[in-house]
């Protein structure tokens, strides 16, 4: 089966599993369930988990359960994020807080987490339980760190990386290692799978940050310069501050110190990023990261699942 056909088939399968897992008695939960699944995005994490399961030779069906659990944790984190960030939209649609209210969004996120943990417990695997409960702890810690530092001019790349680890990379690491758990590979291999997922998750978040400055628009569903307008110090800006001269650093910080940023400010920050070739340097960094990830996959036999993962990796190479 070609990569696109396989991907579409998996999305439908995981969507069905999510509907089965999310049990609801209240009308509002039923409505949010449908809304969450309908706006669920590309199912990158469960598809990665499935592909790694197949690459490792796993023949069972629990990949659909584990993948859906990962997606529930991810969806719950987005519901909470949108409240914290006061986001009005999510993937081009009204966000759950804007549609249902902040209190409902927080409680719905908690409910999705509870559904995920309940289903995880039913799988009877202490290793999987340990893995995903650690992810939930990582998410909570990283959110607190982000709230403390995201608009602080003293934020460093080290602090940024801690946030990225908890918010994004930890779950990628979990779905990767979970494939090894299902396939019953040695612990040494499980550790390598976890490291692979962490590297991928970190790259995914950094590339997503870069899109905000260099690619956002109709094709991506992201509002251009949204992070900048919100005063967030994300990866492209931290890389700029790392190499800019004293005056340009001062200029960049002055933009972020403003109560609100406007279209004139957009031009200034884009000019600074261009002056220091940030887009080019990020492209080079992302290409190198993807090549490293592909080298890991090359240690396994070629397969349609490996081709699908490789196709997704290629999309992370440029911004």
């Amino acid at each position: 089966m070609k990569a696109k056909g396989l991907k579409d088939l998996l999305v439908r399968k995981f969507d069905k599993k999510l509907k089965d897992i999310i049990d609801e008695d209240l009308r509002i939960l039923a409505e949010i369930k449908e809304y969450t699944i309908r706006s669920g995005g590309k199912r990158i994490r469960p598809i990665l988990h499935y592909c790694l399961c197949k690459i490792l030779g796993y023949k069972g069906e629990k990949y659909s359960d584990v993948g859906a659990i990962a997606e529930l944790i991810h969806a719950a984190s987005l519901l909470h994020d949108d409240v914290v960030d006061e986001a009005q939209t999510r993937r081009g649609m009204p966000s759950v807080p804007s549609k249902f209210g902040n209190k409902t969004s927080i409680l719905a996120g908690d409910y999705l987490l509870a559904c995920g943990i309940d289903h995880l417990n039913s799988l009877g695997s202490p290793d999987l339980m340990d893995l995903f409960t650690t992810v939930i702890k990582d998410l909570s810690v990283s959110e607190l760190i982000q709230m403390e530092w995201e608009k602080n001019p003293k934020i460093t790349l080290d602090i940024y990386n801690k946030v990225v680890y908890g918010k994004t990379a930890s779950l990628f690491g979990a779905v990767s290692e979970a494939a090894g758990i299902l396939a019953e590979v040695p612990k040494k291999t499980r550790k390598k799978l976890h490291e692979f997922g962490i590297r991928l998750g970190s790259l995914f978040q950094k590339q997503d940050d870069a899109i905000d400055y260099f690619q956002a628009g109709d094709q991506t569903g992201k509002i251009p310069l949204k992070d900048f307008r919100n005063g967030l110090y994300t990866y492209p800006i931290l890389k700029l501050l790392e190499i800019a001269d004293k005056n340009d650093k001062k200029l960049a910080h002055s933009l972020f110190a403003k109560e609100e940023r406007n279209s004139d400010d957009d031009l200034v920050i884009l000019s600074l990023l261009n002056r220091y070739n940030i887009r080019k340097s990020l492209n080079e960094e992302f290409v190198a990261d993807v090549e490293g990830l592909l080298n890991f996959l090359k240690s396994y036999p070629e397969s349609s699942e490996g081709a699908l993962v490789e196709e997704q990796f290629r999309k992370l190479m440029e911004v």
Side-chain angles (χ1 to χ4, degrees):
M1 185 181 293
K2 291 185 178 180
K4 186 180 186 305
L6 175 59
K7 182 180 176 182
D8 292 343
L9 177 66
L10 288 171
V11 168
R12 290 194 297 271
K13 183 158 188 172
F14 284 120
D15 283 358
K16 182 180 184 303
K17 178 61 72 170
L18 285 168
K19 288 181 180 180
D20 292 341
I21 293 175
I22 306 173
D23 187 22
E24 79 291 323
D25 295 319
L26 298 176
R27 180 194 57 78
I28 187 65
L29 286 176
E31 193 172 350
I32 288 178
K33 167 184 172 178
E34 291 301 319
Y35 190 81
T36 301
I37 292 172
R38 191 168 65 249
S39 62
K42 301 174 183 178
R43 307 297 185 212
I44 293 170
R45 295 154 190 82
I47 289 175
L48 171 66
H49 172 69
Y50 164 84
C51 289
L52 289 175
C53 280
K54 294 303 178 183
I55 289 169
L56 294 169
Y58 176 65
K59 305 295 185 184
E61 293 291 324
K62 285 186 178 180
Y63 69 82
S64 63
D65 298 281
V66 174
I69 289 164
E71 199 69 357
L72 283 170
I73 293 172
H74 175 58
S77 73
L78 295 183
L79 292 179
H80 292 162
D81 275 354
D82 285 346
V83 173
V84 173
D85 299 339
E86 299 180 348
Q88 296 301 304
T89 60
R90 167 68 63 180
R91 300 189 181 102
M93 297 174 61
S95 67
V96 170
S98 68
K99 187 175 176 65
F100 300 99
N102 285 344
K103 291 181 180 178
T104 299
S105 187
I106 290 171
L107 291 171
D110 293 344
Y111 182 75
L112 292 183
L113 279 177
C115 288
I117 292 298
D118 182 60
H119 195 70
L120 181 61
N121 186 54
S122 73
L123 299 181
S125 170
D127 285 348
L128 287 175
M129 182 63 78
D130 287 346
L131 193 61
F132 285 103
T133 51
T134 297
V135 168
I136 295 171
K137 288 191 290 185
D138 290 340
L139 276 167
S140 300
V141 170
S142 65
E143 279 291 350
L144 290 169
I145 297 174
Q146 182 176 17
M147 288 171 63
E148 179 183 359
W149 285 97
E150 66 184 0
K151 295 185 180 182
N152 190 326
K154 294 183 180 180
I155 186 173
T156 63
L157 277 169
D158 182 57
I159 293 168
Y160 168 87
N161 285 329
K162 288 179 181 177
V163 172
V164 168
Y165 177 84
K167 284 196 66 176
T168 306
S170 180
L171 185 52
F172 273 89
V175 297
S176 300
E177 183 177 350
I181 292 173
L182 292 183
E184 298 182 343
V185 301
K187 285 192 175 182
K188 185 176 181 180
T189 303
R190 279 173 46 182
K191 183 178 179 181
K192 289 181 179 179
L193 285 163
H194 192 266
E195 291 170 350
F196 166 83
I198 295 297
R199 290 171 60 196
L200 174 57
S202 180
L203 169 61
F204 183 84
Q205 184 59 57
K206 290 174 181 178
Q207 202 256 5
D208 193 59
D209 286 352
I211 286 173
D212 188 67
Y213 285 92
F214 305 120
Q215 272 188 0
D218 293 339
Q219 289 186 332
T220 64
K222 292 193 70 174
I223 300 171
L225 297 176
K226 181 182 177 182
D227 290 340
F228 175 63
R229 288 294 184 96
N230 287 336
L232 306 180
Y233 282 87
T234 58
Y235 197 56
I237 299 303
L238 293 174
K239 295 296 285 187
L240 168 67
L241 294 172
E242 193 176 43
I243 61 174
D245 64 33
K246 183 178 179 181
N247 289 332
D248 285 337
K249 283 182 183 178
K250 186 176 180 180
L251 175 58
H253 281 306
S254 71
L255 296 174
F256 282 87
K258 296 176 69 172
E259 192 70 28
E260 292 183 354
R261 282 145 293 281
N262 56 37
S263 57
D264 290 336
D265 299 324
D266 293 348
L267 294 176
V268 175
I269 197 65
L270 289 174
S271 175
L272 285 173
L273 290 167
N274 183 61
R275 184 180 306 168
Y276 289 94
N277 294 312
I278 299 301
R279 184 172 190 172
K280 181 175 182 291
S281 67
L282 290 183
N283 279 338
E284 292 172 351
E285 178 183 333
F286 296 161
V287 167
D289 286 344
V290 168
E291 290 301 331
L293 292 167
L294 289 175
N295 284 335
F296 175 84
L297 289 180
K298 287 176 182 176
S299 63
Y300 295 95
E302 290 186 9
S303 63
S304 58
E305 292 81 15
L308 176 56
V309 176
E310 182 174 344
E311 178 189 274
Q312 299 305 305
F313 284 179
R314 297 291 181 191
K315 295 177 182 178
L316 296 175
M317 276 189 168
E318 295 187 4
V319 291

